Amino acid sequence: MRQPRTPRPDLEPDADLEREEMEAMQREIAAAAIFEDDHDVAVGSLSNPLEAASSDRDRPEPPLVAGVDQSFLLESERALSAVVVMQAGEVVERVHAVTPLEIPYIPGLLAFREGGPILAALEGLSTEPDLFLFDGSGRIHFRQAGIATHIGVVLDVPSVGIAKSLLCGEPRGDVDDLPAGTTVPIDANSRVDAPAGTVLGYAVQTRQYDSPDRAINPLYVSPGHRVGPETAADGALELATTYKLPEPIRLADAYADEAKRTLEE
DNA sequence: GCGACAG
DNA sequence: ATCTTGTCGC
């Protein structure tokens, strides 16, 4: 259904670039990005378990979904990138890589700090995920080139950004105490390099408490590459089966911490 | 100058 | 992100 992939190694995040060059590269990334559905992932059954039915041959292989997250060994100035690949709700592969950290965290330039470590970890995959979830923004970014978009374009793979807080853009409505399953559009504002009216992504409430005492904040989900905003939001809701975070990301987060502790001991 | 700012 | 124990509540 899809055309062969066209990776863009020329747009790999380079921590040695000047700030202006990084921003220029992000504009190129945004121009190359596709913020609409262009993949073969059947969103709608991402977490469904395979049934022990009779005709396995009639049913297409459930899509492989990768969750990617990082932890840091600040003492040794290193980043640990962890990847967990799931299929039909089951973990099918886990890989991680440890690389030196080259630059500090700068809002808007996250991909230049964590992109190298991520690409190093993804090199170790033996499976070929159909969709990648990254911890951070995609199109919800000053230049529409968050880390999910950057990595997605470089590898030319479908990707989605899952952030716990909002970098920029304006929620179309109140995002407090939203009921589970609710989404609120995030519109582009003056701080974003996008036409007014552009829907950058969605605030997505995957879980919520029953009692009005405490409240869970929504996730901020946006297209990385080759995925539309609605599909990104629906996928996040579908993959968050038990916790606030979509399962692949949650498990990558836990794995990144676990592998880090192993190195510290 | 002031404010805003993923992980 | 990371530094960190206990503690409130289902």
Side-chain angles (χ1 to χ4, degrees):
Chain A
M1 187 151 237
R2 280 218 45 239
Q3 301 307 307
R5 301 203 183 298
T6 306
R8 294 294 302 275
D10 56 308
L11 295 177
E12 277 185 28
D14 179 352
D16 292 322
L17 296 178
E18 300 296 319
R19 181 173 187 134
E20 289 306 319
E21 300 176 309
M22 291 180 175
E23 297 184 352
M25 177 178 278
Q26 291 184 322
R27 291 182 199 101
E28 283 189 69
I29 291 285
I34 298 173
F35 299 124
E36 55 187 53
D37 289 309
D38 183 20
H39 53 76
D40 295 323
V41 181
V43 177
S45 59
L46 290 177
S47 296
N48 291 2
L50 337 28
E51 293 154 30
S54 53
S55 55
D56 289 359
R57 265 49 114 197
D58 301 333
R59 183 172 48 249
E61 271 287 288
L64 294 167
V65 183
V68 185
D69 187 34
Q70 287 66 243
S71 63
F72 300 86
L73 297 132
L74 296 181
E75 308 300 274
S76 54
E77 297 276 64
R78 291 183 297 169
L80 189 161
S81 184
V83 185
V84 172
V85 182
M86 300 185 74
Q87 179 175 45
E90 300 289 320
V91 174
V92 297
E93 182 175 17
R94 302 202 306 175
V95 298
H96 74 270
V98 179
T99 64
L101 270 176
E102 313 200 60
I103 58 173
Y105 165 67
I106 300 170
L109 298 178
L110 182 66
F112 292 91
R113 172 175 166 87
E114 304 185 359
I118 289 173
L119 290 171
L122 295 179
E123 295 262 311
L125 284 176
S126 63
T127 58
E128 199 168 291
D130 301 289
L131 176 66
F132 292 78
L133 270 39
F134 292 96
D135 194 352
S137 286
R139 196 181 192 181
I140 295 178
H141 179 276
F142 311 123
R143 291 166 291 280
Q144 305 184 86
I147 194 162
T149 300
H150 202 135
I151 304 300
V153 166
V154 167
L155 300 178
D156 194 22
V157 293
S159 64
V160 169
I162 308 287
K164 301 177 208 63
S165 59
L166 189 60
L167 175 62
C168 58
E170 184 67 28
R172 193 171 295 176
D174 199 346
V175 294
D176 296 318
D177 298 302
L178 296 174
T182 306
T183 64
V184 174
I186 303 300
D187 294 314
N189 58 13
S190 61
R191 299 172 57 201
V192 181
D193 196 350
T198 301
V199 174
L200 302 174
Y202 285 89
V204 177
Q205 196 73 46
T206 58
R207 316 265 324 181
Q208 189 52 279
Y209 290 124
D210 294 318
S211 61
D213 302 341
R214 290 178 299 177
I216 298 177
N217 297 320
L219 293 173
Y220 294 94
V221 180
S222 58
H225 181 48
R226 293 193 180 286
V227 177
E230 289 74 26
T231 298
D234 290 345
L237 280 173
E238 196 176 322
L239 290 163
T241 54
T242 312
Y243 297 87
K244 167 177 175 172
L245 286 174
E247 217 49 13
I249 285 282
R250 187 182 72 83
L251 295 177
D253 183 275
Y255 178 40
D257 267 0
E258 172 194 323
K260 183 183 93 167
R261 289 193 303 257
T262 298
L263 290 183
E264 294 173 326
E265 296 165 4

